Amino acid sequence: EPEVTQTPSHQVTQMGQEVILRCVPISNHLYFYWYRQILGQKVEFLVSFYNNEISEKSEIFDDQFSVERPDGSNFTLKIRSTKLEDSAMYFCASSAGQGRNTGELFFGEGSRLTVL
Amino acid sequence: DQQVKQNSPSLSVQEGRISILNCDYTNSMFDYFLWYKKYPAEGPTFLISISSIKDKNEDGRFTVFLNKSAKHLSLHIVPSQPGDSAVYFCAATLGNQGGKLIFGQGTELSVKP
């Protein structure tokens, strides 16, 4: 069964350092997303990406965040200068369509980021 | 942002009985609703969805009911099995923001043998 894969599974970093989280979406999907879940809180939408550009982003997704699809398979989330409050589980997801045509989003297993 | 709420953080049910998980929303513009299941150390897994033009959708042991006037949806699992023990999230979206899911806080279901 096709799946979304994420690396690393866990990253520990010092405050102020840059972090890149990597994702390989399902190969025939066209829409890509990043979500995050701070411990004990809701899963929150960060950004959606389609046709090589951001289609929507949340208030959380400020200038410290960026996404990129550097090749035909990878989808990355970069945090330029990490803060303590960026500690969370980051989920990548992909879908074939959107809205009623989405079917569903397929989520990866997540990358846990710990900022010290 | 409390547009989607799951007011019960946990639910315990005996194996074989019905599990009913509830979800309320405030934004009447939501037109697509989904339920996801999440095990520890895994990402959310899609379970079932419903469009706002319907009031019921069934898939095997899982049925989702939508009451638009009450802005309420529920997930019924019949019969419940121990393997159903997980955190269940409801989510909602607007048609023009398809991939932007607004999640509830989740309900942890425990099905006891």
Side-chain angles (χ1 to χ4, degrees), chain A residues 6-75:
Chain A
Q6 292 186 239
T7 54
S9 56
H10 188 194
Q11 179 152 0
V12 181
T13 190
Q14 294 291 324
M15 192 170 55
Q17 294 297 303
E18 177 183 283
V19 160
I20 297 176
L21 305 178
R22 292 183 167 79
C23 169
V24 179
I26 293 173
S27 61
N28 63 343
H29 283 183
L30 301 175
Y31 298 83
F32 314 113
Y33 315 90
W34 284 100
Y35 284 76
R36 79 172 184 189
Q37 186 180 26
I38 295 171
L39 189 63
Q41 298 186 23
K42 292 184 178 188
V43 177
E44 301 174 289
F45 169 81
L46 291 179
V47 65
S48 60
F49 191 85
Y50 170 71
N51 201 25
N52 276 325
E53 60 182 29
I54 291 173
S55 48
E56 179 126 19
K57 60 182 180 179
S58 71
E59 296 171 350
I60 304 167
F61 194 89
D62 61 21
D63 292 344
Q64 292 299 312
F65 291 88
S66 63
V67 289
E68 192 177 34
R69 188 155 163 81
D71 53 44
S73 60
N74 290 286
F75 180 50

Side-chain angles (χ1 to χ4, degrees), chain B residues 55-74:
Chain B
D55 55 19
K56 177 182 173 181
N57 188 25
E58 193 172 350
D59 184 2
R61 296 186 296 116
F62 303 93
T63 303
V64 56
F65 295 92
L66 175 63
N67 182 335
K68 283 174 57 180
S69 61
K71 296 192 182 70
H72 177 84
L73 67 154
S74 60

Side-chain angles (χ1 to χ4, degrees), chain B residues 22-105:
Chain B
N22 294 302
C23 180
D24 297 293
Y25 61 96
T26 56
N27 189 341
S28 58
M29 299 299 291
F30 286 142
D31 61 357
Y32 194 65
F33 304 89
L34 308 93
W35 284 93
Y36 279 81
K37 179 168 76 170
K38 186 181 181 303
Y39 294 114
E42 293 187 12
T45 303
F46 172 77
L47 205 52
I48 193 168
S49 62
I50 188 167
S51 165
S52 60
I53 60 175
K54 296 186 174 181
D55 55 19
K56 177 182 173 181
N57 188 25
E58 193 172 350
D59 184 2
R61 296 186 296 116
F62 303 93
T63 303
V64 56
F65 295 92
L66 175 63
N67 182 335
K68 283 174 57 180
S69 61
K71 296 192 182 70
H72 177 84
L73 67 154
S74 60
L75 174 68
H76 292 210
I77 306 173
V78 181
S80 303
Q81 299 172 355
D84 296 330
S85 297
V87 178
Y88 288 78
F89 293 96
C90 71
T93 187
L94 301 168
N96 63 351
Q97 299 178 344
K100 180 182 177 181
L101 301 181
I102 308 298
F103 282 90
Q105 305 94 314

